[in-house]
Amino acid sequence: QVQVVESGGGLVQAGGSLRLSCVASGSSYEIGYMAWYRQAPGKQRELVAGITRSGRTNYATSLKDRFTISRDNARSTVYLQMNSLKPEDTAVYYCNANSLGGQFWGQGTQVTVSS
């Protein structure tokens, strides 16, 4: 059973930075595309950024200037560096990992940006 575990969330002041980490373990298959999503209260879950195993990235257009996704294939880990955080970035951030065995989600990590 694949486990996806996020870490690194917390409370930060506007203008600050946070780095989220996500580890996918227990997969019988190679982990392919990994992504970060977020869901704010009362809103739908939205894609923040994704990255292929080869390092190709995609971003939500409004976030690409402040957020950077990266990964360490050897550790099946994906990171999200978030800079210049704004109160509207407050959300639960979820990690998504994909393999031939299916699509897997973490339980999320809360990011709260105070004004």
Side-chain angles (χ1 to χ4, degrees), residues 4-5 10-11 31 40 45 54 56 69 76 83 89 92 102 105 108:
V4 178
V5 180
L11 174 65
I31 297 295
R45 189 173 297 190
S54 64
R56 184 173 297 181
I69 191 170
S76 294
N83 298 326
D89 295 319
V92 178
W105 291 89

Side-chain angles (χ1 to χ4, degrees), residues 53-74:
R53 190 170 180 83
S54 64
R56 184 173 297 181
T57 59
N58 62 290
Y59 292 91
T61 302
S62 62
L63 299 176
K64 66 183 303 181
D65 290 337
R66 298 187 293 119
F67 291 11
T68 302
I69 191 170
S70 60
R71 68 186 285 168
D72 181 338
N73 288 331

Side-chain angles (χ1 to χ4, degrees), residues 6 20-22 35-37 47-49 69 78-80 93-95:
E6 304 97 337
L20 306 183
S21 300
C22 166
W36 288 98
Y37 288 75
L47 174 70
V48 174
I69 191 170
V78 64
Y79 306 97
L80 184 69
Y93 284 70
Y94 296 93
C95 181

Side-chain angles (χ1 to χ4, degrees), residues 8 13 25 37 49 66 76 82 84 108 113 115:
Q13 288 189 331
S25 61
Y37 288 75
R66 298 187 293 119
S76 294
M82 305 185 293
S84 302
V113 184
S115 57

